[in-house]
Each structure stands twice: as structure tokens, then as C-alpha cells.
Amino acid sequence: MAKKKKKSGLGTLLALVGALLALAAVFMMFLPAASIKDTDTTFTGIQMTFGYSKDAGLGTLELFGFSFMNFLPYILVLAGIAFSVLTVLGKLGKIAPLLSAVCYLGAGILFFLAVVCCVPNADLEKLVNVGGSIFGEKVSVRDCLALGVGAILAGVLSILASLCSAAALVIKK
């Protein structure tokens, strides 16, 4: 008997495009995820996720600690890529594109929350509060940060990947 040819249709192509968009979102971790308002100081996604310390002359100053909530979108994107690959291979039926779309959408939302989910060091928080108390207001480190281009691009790419996976779910051919 002859082997059946596997049809590669539009749904498969959309799942593949979604996986490529998600892969690009993962590489956005090397771009600035946050910046200090009114300055040119930026922090990459890696620094915001895994922690960052800077040499301050007399010693090192730890600015950020490990943040699981900033690590979670990268895990979700990689899980979504795995489900997209299963979609391309024709495994798991209609559940694979659904799971990849949900993973991408969750990651996209969490990328936009990178500043909220960061873990500033307690000493840095005290230092910022001292500066804010001079002017008579309570200031947080998160109030001084703005979302960077890396987090915005990663969020947009993840949501686009989610739309591609959802379209692959709907399109049968």
C-alpha cells in the first residue's frame, strides 16, 4: 500500500507562523523591558526576570531580585511553541492549537505587566522612599519605571501568535 501524503493546509501554516512569532517574542528578553522615567537608564527582560545588581563603588547594589511572574511568560511562550509544533505534526487534534492560543495569550498579558511584577530589592525601595519623602510623597520603585520596548514587542508578538493559533483551530484545511 502506498503511504498517504500529509496535507499541509492553511491551519498548519498558521500554527507555524504563530510559533515563529512566539520565538521572536522570546528573543525580546534581550531588549529593554523597563526604563526609569525621564532618564535613559533601561533594564532588559533578563535583568528584570533573573535579578540585577550593579557595582556602586563601595560595593554592589542589588536592584532587582528573581521574579517568577516575569519568568512565567517565557515558560508560557515555550509551552505554546511546543503545542504549536504538535499542531503542525497533527497530534492531539483540536486541543493543541487551543492550548497554544491560551499559552500565548497569557504570556502576552504578562509581558505587559513586567513593571508590576518586578521584584525590587528592599534597600532600593528604601532609597527611593527617602528621595520621595523629601518631596512629601510616598514613591515606589515601580512608580519610577516605565514599560520598555522589549516588553511591548514581546506582548504584541505573543498576542499575534495567539491569534494565529486560534485561527489554526478554526480553519480546518
Side-chain angles (χ1 to χ4, degrees):
M1 291 185 119
K3 290 184 179 180
K4 287 185 179 180
K5 275 190 170 179
K6 185 179 176 184
K7 292 183 180 178
S8 59
L10 187 59
T12 304
L13 181 65
L14 284 171
L16 187 62
V17 168
L20 290 175
L21 288 171
L23 188 63
V26 170
F27 285 117
M28 295 300 127
M29 72 174 18
F30 299 108
L31 294 178
S35 62
I36 298 176
K37 293 178 183 174
D38 301 327
T39 67
D40 59 350
T41 304
T42 60
F43 304 103
T44 65
I46 293 175
Q47 293 169 339
M48 297 280 292
T49 302
F50 297 109
Y52 177 62
S53 57
K54 187 172 183 172
D55 187 25
L58 297 175
T60 59
L61 175 65
E62 183 179 350
L63 300 175
F64 297 106
F66 175 76
S67 172
F68 179 76
M69 290 303 289
N70 278 341
F71 185 56
L72 186 59
Y74 298 110
I75 293 171
L76 287 174
V77 166
L78 293 175
I81 290 172
F83 285 120
S84 289
V85 168
L86 289 175
T87 301
V88 170
L89 295 176
K91 307 290 183 191
L92 294 180
K94 293 288 186 181
I95 194 77
L98 176 67
L99 288 174
S100 66
V102 169
C103 286
Y104 293 147
L105 184 62
I109 292 168
L110 286 173
F111 279 127
F112 286 114
L113 296 175
V115 171
V116 176
C117 296
C118 72
V119 179
N121 188 1
D123 294 334
L124 178 65
E125 196 70 53
K126 288 178 188 175
L127 182 65
V128 170
N129 282 333
V130 167
S133 65
I134 293 173
F135 299 107
E137 58 188 44
K138 183 168 172 69
V139 179
S140 172
V141 171
R142 292 182 182 105
D143 295 334
C144 300
L145 294 175
L147 199 59
V149 67
I152 293 170
L153 284 176
V156 169
L157 288 172
S158 292
I159 291 172
L160 286 175
S162 176
L163 292 174
C164 286
S165 290
L169 178 65
V170 174
I171 295 175
K172 300 189 191 253
K173 290 187 178 185

